Amino acid sequence: FHLGVTPSVIRERYNLTAQDVGSGTTNNSQACAQFLEQYFHESDLAEFMRLFGGKFEHQASVARVVGKQGRGRAGIEASLDVEYLMSAGANISTWVYSSPGRHESQEPFLQWLLVLSNETTLPHVHTISYGDDEDSLSSAYIQRVNTEFQKAAARGLTLLFASGDSGAGCWSVSGRHQFRPSFPASSPYVTTVGGTSFQNPFRVTNEVVDYISGGGFSNVFPRPSYQEEAVNKFLSTSLQLPPSSYFNASGRAYPDVAALSDGYWVVSNGVPIPWVSGTSASTPVFGGLLSLINEHRLLSGRPPLGFLNPRLYQQRGEGLFDVTHGCHESCLNEEVQGEGFCSGPGWDPVTGWGTPNFPALLKSLVNP
Amino acid sequence: SYSPEPDQRWMTPPGWVPLGRAAPEEELSLTFALRQQNLERLTELVQAVSDPGSPQYGKYLTLEDVTELVQPSPLTLRTVQKWLLAAGARHCHSVTTQDFLTCRLSVREAEWLLSGAEFHHYVGGPAETHAIRSARPYQLPKALRPHVDFVGGLHRFPPLSSLRQRPEPQVAGTFG
């Protein structure tokens, strides 16, 4: 019985033991980035770990804050990112990137990309809560940002983006409703994280779709070869496909994976806050578990995971709990009645391959 | 001249309120994305280091390797720097890969450099975030088409929070 998601609930659901923490002896590191001009307070992290971190070894302060911090009020998103990245990827050196204090004429997300192009040494895993409607961005911008993700992938960085909190999205194109894909979630060079809920919100049970979980098909990027088989299988077997006019079936499909995104406890400005939800919660959780896998890889002399998708799809979701119940939201009209895509066996555009079963995921990703 | 981003939304997004014109001598910080080189080769390398079946798997590049591969051509660097200096841009700084240039310009200089642009102040979201953005699309001299991908700081607004604090889930019946 529990009253909302805490680190203990996460570690129980994803089969983490008290030993599944960083060793503190490697150059392993992770980072979270959010662009809401929110401040992050170390005191909140310390309080969070005092309340919820008693059962596993952890660090109670971040290794580096990139971006000016001030004395303003902490933001829930900034607090959530750090607290769950450092409790899933426990005892691993963590950087926080936030952008308060930027010049008013600067674009926060673009400034973060410049940091990636300027720092020789960067954390291996980055979890980023940022997304815009694909249709609101120029193709020049989208293509160039996609190249920046390739630069990061070539350097072995793992970039995890939240899939978004509007389900399949919805907009009207020349009078007809269509689903509305999100970028950078739709980039073929990042790993996108969707969201789930417990089937029974007060127990650690199996997971079902969180109706807000972003997902769908890009209108800009064609489907990458690594997901051809998985997506074609979904399109040919799903019993609840929306009308084909709502989405671009040949586009890059996302998300790739998922984790719990509903009902989190967060400490912000010294106050424990319940029922916080969004894929910006599931993303640091999944990122923290990948950092633990990197820890094992580094300890055995292997390189970090890097850009995960080709391997993830080759292994067909090995090591992940498949989520097969539930659909996410979309257009509220007669035709689809608010329902976007629905999850199903194997990969689907709501929860990807599913949520992490840590011991099995570790086994499938630690070698080679 | 030409528009590098003809399909970029430039209307004010929901949640943001215009506060009026920026003064001509106010200072802006704009980011110029310079055209890179060898992008096909970069894509090949990403496949090679990310595919477990590849002999290159896990043999990642360093930042220096990436720089050597994608940095803009000397012609691009020279052309863009001359253009910016002529407009009065100052405090320009680049990144290791040299494919981004961030400069300080006054509103007046920026509106001269980026024809069509018109800078306004905006405020948005619960945190009352401030931004200066252009309420009109911009154009660049045609000679820059081979050298500049886009200019950052004109149209894309900072994100507003997406997190929700949902009401406690109501589960009928089965639990006390």
Side-chain angles (χ1 to χ4, degrees), chain B residues 25-82:
Chain B
E25 65 284 350
E26 277 193 79
E27 191 164 76
L28 301 172
S29 171
L30 298 177
T31 299
F32 299 84
L34 276 56
R35 186 66 43 84
Q36 300 151 317
Q37 301 184 94
N38 304 312
L39 297 187
E40 289 84 21
R41 179 67 186 130
L42 175 65
T43 301
E44 288 163 14
L45 283 169
V46 169
Q47 318 269 355
V49 302
S50 309
D51 176 356
S54 150
Q56 299 301 314
Y57 180 64
K59 293 185 172 59
Y60 302 124
L61 279 64
T62 64
L63 182 58
E64 290 66 33
D65 299 332
V66 171
T67 300
E68 209 171 303
L69 184 67
V70 304
Q71 65 184 333
S73 69
L75 175 61
T76 291
L77 291 170
R78 229 179 10 254
T79 307
V80 172
Q81 276 156 11
K82 248 171 63 179

Side-chain angles (χ1 to χ4, degrees), chain A residues 20-79:
Chain A
D20 293 319
V21 295
S23 66
T25 64
T26 66
N27 70 343
N28 198 5
S29 55
Q30 58 190 1
C32 55
Q34 54 84 21
F35 308 104
L36 293 172
E37 329 275 294
Q38 292 184 359
Y39 294 113
F40 148 70
H41 291 172
E42 293 271 10
S43 52
D44 285 337
L45 176 63
E47 177 63 6
F48 179 84
M49 290 301 185
R50 189 185 69 80
L51 287 173
F52 303 116
K55 294 184 183 153
F56 55 90
E57 192 179 350
H58 57 265
Q59 297 181 8
S61 63
V62 297
R64 182 172 167 191
V65 178
V66 181
K68 216 161 78 177
Q69 285 303 300
R71 300 314 317 154
R73 282 175 56 77
I76 286 189
E77 190 138 336
S79 306

Side-chain angles (χ1 to χ4, degrees), chain A residues 269-288:
Chain A
N269 296 302
V271 178
I273 299 167
W275 309 122
V276 176
S277 300
T279 51
S280 43
S282 54
T283 306
V285 167
F286 205 98

